[in-house]
Amino acid sequence: MIVEIKISELMKGHFVVDIAQQQGTYNLSSPGHIKNINVISNLKNKGVETLLIDDSKTLTFDSAGNIIGNEQIKTESSTSTSPIFLEITKAKELFNESKNIQRQIFADAQQGRELNLTPVIEITNQTIDTVFKNADALACVINIRKKDEYLLEHSVSVSVLMTIFARFLKIDKKIIQQLSVGAFLHDVGKINIPDKILNKPGKLTDAEFTVMKSHVNHSINIIESTPGISRLSLEVTALHHEKLDGKGYPFNVPKEKITKYGRMIAICDIFDALTANRCYKDGYSHLKSFSILRNLAKNNHLDERLVDLFIKCMGVYPVGSLVELSSNKLAIVESRNDGDPTNPKVRSFYNAIDGQYVMAEDIDLSSDNDFIVKGVRADDFDLDMNKIIEFLLMEG
């Protein structure tokens, strides 16, 4: 059973699944047993406060200090993997830290202060490392959003999506770092747009839309004056609203001059805007958003090949998204089946007919009679994604 314990309770022989709470941003390389007390001291020094352990895998020792049942434990630990939702606690901490840095960036921009690029580089580097280790946890966290913090969370989410997409395309890591920074800063100019326009629930008038479009110019001006910013970071900021038909903004850049990276961030930016909840509207499901992206590509707004690659990157049913099954249960997508993308591995947790949580069950839809009826959102059933994740963690 997965339980949370304090660092002071951690002992030699415990099987650590993940860090639950900490002062720093230390990442475990993988789940595993505590083999000596030096490891515990190191975790304390890193600021670790509580951990998730699997008490069913705790090692016991004989009088000579030898592990009892060593071969069985070795086999278990070598094949053990951490379910996606066990990685989410760590990913949420990284996402929230990113939001705090983004909040400071907006405050500095609003006051006309020079942006400090150092914390942006540090946090995007952590994001890149996390994505290279396990992109699914961060992709899942993007689904757990606050309606009243769209501006902050959108910029962070687009940076995460850009990183995930760039890694999928096997872009060099040094370039990914610059793309991630540019995506992180791409909407900083919105701080200069009046709230009544920025948060207007209805359609903008032509005059209001002209003001809204100017946020890109503001972003460019702010970023250009930031010491240490790279050309690629500025490029993705400048191009994120340009269209292949040459009718984008702010510069009506023609198709042949919109770079691959500019085309990528346009996709990531629109996808996040479509799927995110806001104070005045709920987001679309992933499948509906993918359909909209494809239509935009057919209308020569987005790059069709890159849209298809982005959908392949995210998965038909992205990890961390919710689906309704033919058994009338709701489930969270745990992992993809690359050979059968419409039938991922899921964990069911809720009976949609009774409106009640049920005992969680892992289901490989590629070999089960159950199947996905449709992709859904937590809001469709008056559920909260945070509470869903908490329930799944308690279920172990």
Side-chain angles (χ1 to χ4, degrees):
M1 179 179 176
I2 307 296
V3 295
E4 184 175 346
I5 64 169
K6 296 178 180 178
I7 186 68
S8 59
E9 299 170 333
L10 187 63
M11 298 174 61
K12 180 180 175 182
H14 277 150
F15 185 87
V16 177
V17 175
D18 206 347
I19 295 169
Q21 298 179 40
Q22 60 174 317
Q23 293 294 330
T25 56
Y26 180 68
N27 290 330
L28 292 180
S29 57
S30 63
H33 287 98
I34 301 295
K35 297 294 181 65
N36 60 72
I37 59 174
N38 291 334
V39 175
I40 300 175
S41 297
N42 182 54
L43 290 171
K44 288 180 179 178
N45 292 335
K46 295 290 187 182
V48 174
E49 296 177 341
T50 65
L51 308 99
L52 298 174
I53 67 164
D54 187 341
D55 61 5
S56 68
K57 295 182 181 179
T58 300
L59 297 176
T60 54
F61 302 85
D62 60 22
S63 57
N66 297 314
I67 298 171
I68 299 173
N70 187 30
E71 291 305 315
Q72 180 184 358
I73 295 296
K74 276 186 177 179
T75 301
E76 288 178 357
S77 60
S78 65
T79 59
S80 176
T81 56
S82 179
I84 181 60
F85 39 84
L86 290 181
E87 298 285 340
I88 289 174
T89 300
K90 189 160 46 182
K92 281 178 69 175
E93 290 175 359
L94 179 59
F95 193 82
N96 288 333
E97 185 179 352
S98 299
K99 280 169 57 179
N100 288 333
I101 293 171
Q102 188 70 250
R103 189 175 284 108
Q104 185 61 53
I105 289 292
F106 277 102
D108 289 342
Q110 191 170 39
Q111 296 300 318
R113 294 189 293 262
E114 191 176 82
L115 303 189
N116 181 6
L117 202 59
T118 300
V120 177
I121 292 173
E122 290 175 352
I123 200 67
T124 51
N125 280 339
Q126 289 182 49
T127 297
I128 292 167
D129 290 341
T130 300
V131 166
F132 270 72
K133 178 184 173 185
N134 182 352
D136 291 337
L138 269 172
C140 186
V141 168
I142 291 174
N143 295 329
I144 310 172
R145 307 275 284 276
K146 296 180 179 179
K147 290 186 176 184
D148 58 349
E149 292 192 340
Y150 171 75
L151 185 56
L152 289 174
E153 295 186 332
H154 173 67
S155 297
V156 175
S157 297
V158 172
S159 183
V160 170
L161 290 169
M162 191 72 169
T163 302
I164 292 171
F165 192 21
R167 179 180 183 268
F168 177 81
L169 297 178
K170 296 181 171 56
I171 292 172
D172 183 82
K173 202 170 185 179
K174 290 181 179 178
I175 294 178
I176 293 177
Q177 199 279 327
Q178 297 174 65
L179 301 179
S180 183
V181 168
F184 195 92
L185 299 173
H186 80 285
D187 263 352
V188 66
K190 282 186 175 177
I191 203 67
N192 294 321
I193 305 300
D195 284 345
K196 65 179 182 179
I197 294 177
L198 194 62
N199 297 315
K200 183 178 178 180
K203 183 178 174 61
L204 297 177
T205 65
D206 290 344
E208 289 170 335
F209 188 51
T210 298
V211 174
M212 176 64 85
K213 289 192 293 184
S214 70
H215 82 269
V216 184
N217 303 81
H218 293 308
S219 291
I220 292 170
N221 292 335
I222 293 168
I223 293 171
E224 275 184 329
S225 61
T226 301
I229 200 73
S230 75
R231 179 187 61 79
L232 282 181
S233 296
L234 181 59
E235 176 184 303
V236 294
T237 296
L239 294 174
H240 77 274
H241 277 301
E242 298 292 349
K243 300 177 183 178
L244 298 191
D245 62 4
K247 296 179 181 178
Y249 62 87
F251 304 119
N252 302 122
V253 178
K255 177 179 181 178
E256 61 274 11
K257 291 188 177 181
I258 302 177
T259 66
K260 175 181 178 179
Y261 307 133
R263 298 175 187 211
M264 287 170 61
I265 194 172
I267 294 168
C268 295
D269 180 64
I270 293 172
F271 177 76
D272 187 72
L274 290 170
T275 54
N277 285 335
R278 309 190 202 185
C279 55
Y280 54 83
K281 81 171 190 70
D282 291 335
Y284 294 117
S285 69
H286 288 88
L287 283 180
K288 173 67 174 177
S289 300
F290 290 152
S291 175
I292 293 172
L293 289 179
R294 281 203 166 108
N295 284 333
L296 289 172
K298 289 178 181 177
N299 290 325
N300 203 28
H301 290 183
L302 300 174
D303 186 301
E304 191 166 5
R305 175 179 170 274
L306 285 175
V307 165
D308 287 341
L309 287 171
F310 178 78
I311 294 171
K312 185 176 181 180
C313 165
M314 298 302 294
V316 177
Y317 297 104
V319 171
S321 62
L322 301 183
V323 293
E324 184 174 355
L325 305 178
S326 57
S327 59
N328 295 313
K329 290 181 180 179
L330 302 187
I332 188 169
V333 178
E334 285 193 297
S335 62
R336 302 177 184 87
N337 275 320
D338 290 333
D340 191 358
T342 60
N343 288 301
K345 296 177 182 177
V346 303
R347 170 165 276 210
S348 62
F349 63 89
Y350 188 83
N351 187 311
I353 298 296
D354 297 337
Q356 294 182 342
Y357 282 90
V358 296
M359 183 179 295
E361 178 185 1
D362 291 312
I363 307 171
D364 184 345
L365 294 175
S366 66
S367 57
D368 194 275
N369 291 328
D370 217 346
F371 60 88
I372 294 174
V373 175
K374 60 182 177 180
V376 297
R377 299 180 61 88
D379 294 343
D380 298 338
F381 298 86
D382 293 323
L383 297 175
D384 181 281
M385 276 299 294
N386 280 295
K387 292 182 179 179
I388 291 171
I389 297 301
E390 287 174 10
F391 173 79
L392 292 171
L393 281 168
M394 291 297 293
E395 287 283 291

